[in-house]
Amino acid sequence: MEKDKFSTLKKEVQEIIDLIVGKQNKEANNKLVEVSEMLDEILDFSEDDEDLMEISHYQVLLNQLHQKINPSTDNFSDEEDKF
């Protein structure tokens, strides 16, 4: 059953990537929140080490996608430091 959840998760992550490529960042961000909640739910009920490792891979990927959708404001603070 967990493998079905991971295949669904994979499909949902691909949808986020497709939205980012299509420059639909608001929709991608909404989908990212939805998928993050789904991943949290899977985490709550997982005990197997292999599943936990798979979950951690998705957590890293979702974090990277979040950074892609919402670029950090570090560039702005660097610009402010120049003045």
Side-chain angles (χ1 to χ4, degrees):
M1 182 150 162
E2 288 295 318
K3 300 305 174 196
D4 291 338
K5 289 184 181 181
F6 287 124
S7 64
T8 300
L9 196 58
K10 182 178 179 180
K11 179 181 163 246
E12 298 290 326
V13 168
Q14 184 60 51
E15 200 171 315
I16 295 168
I17 294 168
D18 293 343
L19 289 167
I20 293 170
V21 169
K23 307 283 186 200
Q24 298 174 316
N25 287 352
K26 183 173 180 158
E27 291 84 357
N29 195 56
N30 291 340
K31 189 70 167 180
L32 181 69
V33 169
E34 181 183 316
V35 173
S36 294
E37 290 171 356
M38 181 188 308
L39 187 62
D40 288 343
E41 186 176 317
I42 294 170
L43 178 61
D44 287 344
F45 297 103
S46 294
E47 296 178 3
D48 183 46
D49 286 344
E50 189 175 313
D51 287 346
L52 295 174
M53 287 180 59
E54 185 77 12
I55 290 167
S56 71
H57 292 144
Y58 277 103
Q59 288 173 324
V60 170
L61 177 58
L62 291 178
N63 185 43
Q64 291 172 339
L65 292 173
H66 175 77
Q67 291 175 5
K68 181 72 174 172
I69 296 167
N70 305 297
S72 69
T73 57
D74 289 343
N75 295 336
F76 296 117
S77 62
D78 290 344
E79 292 296 321
E80 290 173 359
D81 291 341
K82 292 180 182 177
F83 295 108

